[in-house]
Amino acid sequence: VGKSVVAMALAKNFAEQGRRTLFVELGQPAYFGLVYGFRARYQPQLISSNLFHAVWTGEECLREYVQHLVKIPKIADLFFDNRVMRAFVRAAPGLKELAILGKLTSGIRESGPSLPYDDIVFDAYATGHFLALLRAPLGMGSIISKGPMGTESRRIIETLQDSQYTKVYAVTLPEDLPVVEVVELKSEIEKILNVVPKVLCNRVYGLSKPGPESDSGFAKFLSDVWYRQSASLEKLAAAGPFVQLPMIMKASARDVIQGLQAEVSKT
Ligand SMILES: Nc1ncnc2c1ncn2[C@@H]1O[C@H](COP(=O)(O)OP(=O)(O)OP(=O)(O)O)[C@@H](O)[C@H]1O
Ligand SMILES: [Mg+2]
């Protein structure tokens, strides 16, 4: 639906306003490594003025946190580089998710290695996977009532729930299924985070209403697109306010991002 390009357009706008910005992608292979031609890594690297890029995995976030706690890298390595521990980290429900959200909120919570940015733009997963990520600290916080794990989990979710820190953008398309999905996603995010997501409907064709002559060939095709798109936009409007982002007629993601920058700045 364009989550990554929209996220990058937002990040570029922050950076161009002079804000020190970190763009975070989850998992490998990193999309923007391919788009901008660099080798994406866990440690942030400067990709343009004020804009840093990092790719996070649950395992690396956890390893870095443990290293920070024990201070001695060799002990952290001992902790992770044995089969039992590796199997545990892979299988423990919610642990990797908790590590990612722990890292994301660590600057505000002043816990863990420093994260010196004005803005962090987090290119999150698609709907179901993203909700599972958000629910991880809720689950941990309620299962583990005592001890540092429970306390950290609750602080992570409280930080995310603070609208002073968190803004959520939900990207969709003017099509039937994405509209149904984003309406559900919006209400779930509101329940979990108490933050109302901004809905962005991406790839909207700038077509005018077809006239009666549009009944054959390409004109007929465009007329079908217009009617389908209008029906979806109407359904989306019935569920609350949203912003339209245009279809940018460019082949490369770089140009699409550039085209979207002016549009997302209006949001
Ligand atoms: N407004 C737009 N106009 C033209 N092309 C677009 C627009 N938005 C996205 N695209 C193109 O659509 C493709 C998918 O975009 P993107 O990778 O951002 O989607 P995504 O939601 O992040 O996908 P994934 O779920 O795989 O992470 C890219 O090639 C991108 O350039
Ligand atoms: Mg993406």
Side-chain angles (χ1 to χ4, degrees):
V1 297
K3 298 181 296 300
S4 296
V5 290
V6 168
M8 185 52 90
L10 282 166
K12 282 192 167 267
N13 282 347
F14 290 138
E16 284 173 16
Q17 286 159 23
R19 299 178 64 82
R20 189 178 156 90
T21 305
L22 177 66
F23 186 94
V24 176
E25 273 188 70
L26 296 176
Q28 296 277 15
Y31 179 60
F32 288 103
L34 298 173
V35 172
Y36 293 115
F38 66 97
R39 222 178 124 244
R41 294 193 305 252
Y42 178 70
Q43 291 303 339
Q45 51 186 322
L46 191 68
I47 60 168
S48 57
S49 178
N50 292 322
L51 182 57
F52 294 78
H53 178 280
V55 48
W56 290 358
T57 63
E59 209 164 314
E60 277 168 302
C61 291
L62 195 59
R63 184 185 281 263
E64 190 191 34
Y65 184 63
V66 170
Q67 269 174 5
H68 175 79
L69 288 182
V70 300
K71 308 279 189 271
I72 304 163
K74 279 245 152 49
I75 296 187
D77 289 347
L78 271 178
F79 179 77
F80 278 99
D81 296 337
N82 69 71
R83 266 193 324 171
V84 177
M85 212 37 227
R86 271 217 297 274
F88 173 73
V89 169
R90 227 172 285 137
L95 188 59
K96 290 193 291 290
E97 288 79 1
L98 194 65
I100 289 171
L101 295 180
K103 167 94 180 151
L104 180 63
T105 55
S106 64
I108 291 160
R109 295 182 300 113
E110 295 180 345
S111 157
S114 79
L115 203 56
Y117 299 96
D118 298 314
D119 295 302
I120 301 175
V121 176
F122 185 70
D123 181 12
Y125 301 124
T127 310
H129 202 172
F130 177 55
L131 290 173
L133 177 76
L134 289 181
R135 288 186 181 120
L138 276 179
M140 286 275 188
S142 60
I143 295 167
I144 313 169
S145 56
K146 294 203 183 77
M149 272 288 262
T151 312
E152 290 271 296
S153 304
R154 281 187 295 277
R155 286 187 55 210
I156 289 170
I157 197 75
E158 280 160 19
T159 307
L160 290 171
Q161 284 171 337
D162 190 335
S163 60
Q164 184 189 339
Y165 302 124
T166 307
K167 262 192 190 160
V168 183
Y169 293 84
V171 183
T172 189
L173 297 177
E175 291 170 19
D176 281 352
L177 285 177
V179 164
V180 170
E181 196 170 314
V182 83
V183 171
E184 277 176 26
L185 175 68
K186 194 176 150 211
S187 99
E188 288 303 305
I189 289 173
E190 279 184 54
K191 276 188 227 155
I192 301 172
L193 295 183
N194 308 326
V195 171
V196 183
K198 268 209 164 106
V199 175
L200 306 178
C201 188
N202 188 28
R203 299 175 71 131
V204 176
Y205 289 99
L207 297 169
S208 38
K209 188 173 179 179
E213 72 285 1
S214 314
D215 59 355
S216 69
F218 193 57
K220 168 84 171 76
F221 169 76
L222 289 181
S223 154
D224 287 350
V225 171
W226 186 89
Y227 278 104
R228 271 204 306 272
Q229 177 171 287
S230 302
S232 295
L233 291 174
E234 245 171 67
K235 267 188 212 151
L236 191 56
F242 70 95
V243 174
Q244 295 188 19
L245 301 177
M247 178 74 178
I248 310 279
M249 295 298 183
K250 300 275 184 180
S252 96
R254 286 178 186 222
D255 294 336
V256 169
I257 291 162
Q258 208 168 26
L260 286 175
Q261 270 186 260
E263 303 295 328
V264 297
S265 73
K266 297 176 199 156
T267 69

